Amino acid sequence: MTTTTERIYVIGGTGNVGTATVKELLKNKVLVTVYTRSPEKAKTVFGDDSNLTVVQGELADLKPFEDTIAGHTRLFLLLSPDNVFNFPKYKVAIAEKAYAAGVKQIVHNSSISTIFPWRSSVIGEANRRSEEGIVNIPNRGAYVAIRAARFFINHLTVEFNSIKFANAIVDTIDPDIEQAWTSTNDVGLVAANILQEPVEKHGDAVYELIGDVVNSADRAEILTKALGRKISYIKTTPEEKYKTLIEKAGLPHILAYEFLKENTAPVQVTPGFSILLKRKPETLAQWLEANKSLLL
């Protein structure tokens, strides 16, 4: 039985960030609607819950969303990177329909790369244009943008093969260059917290989320300790990294080329992260300890 009058719509609820958000909301007896291509996946991830409604739909055809958004008070908007080239088109369209239906607050999973120099990042530009498009919707409700750093879960995606089978992390940067990292679990929980707090508290806030700062040499040491075997850092050439991203990670040229660059992001843990999260943010060492079985 629900204990709140809020009804929260989540687009992207079965991904890593969205799953953490939806589980937290359901734990707190909030009415949640998840818009997904695969109702079967949603059932596998969330089970049967009387407070959960699953709507099957695609981004290219938002009619199922239009038919079901009425009556919801908030929206959590996050899309898979697979859709990065259409982020502005889809995100702004969804936001327009949500506000028109009476949604009071949209929380948007954007990216810290929006702060990079203009048009220097494909992902940053897509999210920046999305943010601008939503901000400029006439007579809109509240709009909160979450800008997280690179995710720990990259160790299980683009870096999985090199860690699992070559006992190495491979990149083009010097081993002592610090990088900003964040847990998808923490980002999802921050979103859930915002969605349950008064709309007026967060207004049109922008929250950058960096949970840990680690260089590549230290990452290799953390992996070594967590996995119980030697993991090395190998500095490679841009040509070799590009080839790996294309052939093994299956990325298109523009994204593979994007990941050759090391754009400048803040390199300190976000001072207010623990305030939004209501606990200390997860470190890379803690995340690897919890997920090491997938890399053993």
Side-chain angles (χ1 to χ4, degrees):
M1 183 177 178
T2 185
T3 58
T4 176
T5 59
E6 297 285 358
R7 292 185 66 195
I8 298 175
Y9 210 110
V10 180
I11 294 183
T14 59
N16 295 300
V17 172
T19 293
T21 301
V22 173
K23 285 185 174 180
E24 180 68 14
L25 294 173
L26 292 176
K27 184 181 79 172
N28 293 335
K29 308 300 183 185
V30 177
L31 293 172
V32 180
T33 299
V34 171
Y35 187 82
T36 177
R37 289 174 296 180
S38 175
E40 295 78 14
K41 181 178 180 182
K43 185 173 182 178
T44 298
V45 173
F46 305 118
D48 293 316
D49 191 303
S50 60
N51 290 323
L52 176 65
T53 300
V54 177
V55 175
Q56 183 173 16
E58 300 278 347
L59 294 175
D61 178 9
L62 291 172
K63 189 173 187 309
F65 172 70
E66 291 183 80
D67 291 343
T68 54
I69 183 61
H72 290 81
T73 53
R74 321 237 194 156
L75 169 70
F76 185 31
L77 174 58
L78 61 167
L79 302 185
S80 165
D82 296 345
N83 298 293
V84 66
F85 301 112
N86 288 309
F87 271 6
K89 172 185 173 182
Y90 290 145
K91 290 183 177 183
V92 175
I94 290 166
E96 288 175 338
K97 296 178 191 304
Y99 286 132
V103 167
K104 297 177 182 178
Q105 179 194 61
I106 292 177
V107 178
H108 169 213
N109 186 51
S110 185
S111 169
I112 203 166
S113 58
T114 57
I115 71 172
F116 295 163
W118 186 59
R119 299 194 68 220
S120 66
S121 162
V122 174
I123 297 171
E125 179 68 5
N127 280 292
R128 183 189 64 79
R129 288 171 56 205
S130 300
E131 288 192 21
E132 288 179 347
I134 296 173
V135 164
N136 290 324
I137 295 173
N139 304 311
R140 62 171 174 81
Y143 170 53
V144 178
I146 293 176
R147 297 175 176 174
R150 60 171 57 80
F151 291 135
F152 295 152
I153 204 149
N154 289 2
H155 294 85
L156 301 181
T157 55
V158 294
E159 296 192 287
F160 176 79
N161 285 325
S162 65
I163 297 171
K164 177 83 172 178
F165 303 112
N167 293 321
I169 49 176
V170 183
D171 209 339
T172 57
I173 62 174
D174 290 334
D176 60 346
I177 292 180
E178 293 185 324
Q179 295 176 310
W181 294 86
T182 309
S183 163
T184 52
N185 293 326
D186 287 355
V187 176
L189 184 55
V190 165
N193 290 341
I194 294 170
L195 289 162
Q196 294 174 92
E197 293 175 345
V199 172
E200 297 76 15
K201 175 178 178 177
H202 298 280
D204 285 352
V206 175
Y207 295 123
E208 294 176 1
L209 299 182
I210 298 172
D212 202 359
V213 175
V214 189
N215 64 40
S216 296
D218 289 341
R219 273 205 298 145
E221 288 300 317
I222 293 169
L223 280 159
T224 295
K225 182 177 180 180
L227 302 181
R229 67 178 191 270
K230 178 64 177 177
I231 304 295
S232 302
Y233 174 66
I234 299 174
K235 183 179 178 181
T236 190
T237 65
E239 293 81 6
E240 283 299 318
K241 182 177 179 180
Y242 175 84
K243 181 180 179 181
T244 298
L245 291 171
I246 291 287
E247 296 181 357
K248 295 186 178 179
L251 297 183
H253 161 75
I254 293 178
L255 287 182
Y257 195 85
E258 165 106 338
F259 291 146
L260 297 179
K261 299 180 285 186
E262 183 63 23
N263 280 297
T264 302
V267 286
Q268 67 171 5
V269 174
T270 303
F273 203 155
S274 60
I275 295 171
L276 299 171
L277 189 57
K278 302 181 181 178
R279 62 166 170 76
K280 294 291 185 182
E282 192 173 21
T283 65
L284 176 60
Q286 291 168 334
W287 183 89
L288 282 169
E289 184 62 30
N291 294 277
K292 64 183 179 181
S293 62
L294 299 172
L295 290 166
L296 291 173

